[in-house]
Amino acid sequence: PVLGAAAVIGGLHARPEASPARWLGCAPMRAIGARSYSIYLCTEPARSIAEHFWRYLDCWGGDVAILLSLVLCAGSGVLFYLAVERPLMRYFHNWYKAPEVRARV
């Protein structure tokens, strides 16, 4: 496994035009990456809510119910990111950069 991973990494460095960094660096992937921890945190509560209402969603078919639960997980994660994580990051960033805090640190 280690040699296989080393071969893949070496191959990516040999051909930088085929590098995953090219498509991982695009705007949609960066947006998903910025919100991924919030989506992760909201997955379990959103999944529990979806399981609670599963009997109502099951009449539409299993695939639709799974799709709706995925949308619920991603949507609640993005809302959590916008309403909680980003304001807290901004607050702590400003707090750390305040002159009186810099003098104490």
Side-chain angles (χ1 to χ4, degrees):
V2 175
L3 293 177
V8 169
I9 293 171
L12 292 175
H13 284 295
R15 293 192 55 206
E17 69 277 359
S19 175
R22 196 166 151 211
W23 61 272
L24 286 175
C26 70
M29 296 301 279
R30 286 195 317 261
I32 291 171
R35 291 155 180 81
S36 64
Y37 187 66
S38 295
I39 294 170
Y40 163 73
L41 289 177
C42 293
T43 299
E44 188 61 34
R47 195 175 60 81
S48 296
I49 291 169
E51 282 181 8
H52 179 72
F53 292 107
W54 190 263
R55 61 177 167 248
Y56 305 114
L57 299 175
D58 201 26
C59 64
W60 292 339
D63 294 337
V64 173
I66 290 172
L67 179 65
L68 287 175
S69 64
L70 286 173
V71 169
L72 179 66
C73 290
S76 61
V78 169
L79 287 175
F80 185 81
Y81 173 77
L82 295 173
V84 177
E85 186 178 347
R86 242 174 112 191
L88 282 175
M89 288 188 325
R90 194 175 313 122
Y91 170 77
F92 285 116
H93 178 75
N94 291 338
W95 175 78
Y96 183 74
K97 295 293 183 181
E100 62 274 0
V101 174
R102 279 190 302 225
R104 287 186 290 175
V105 176

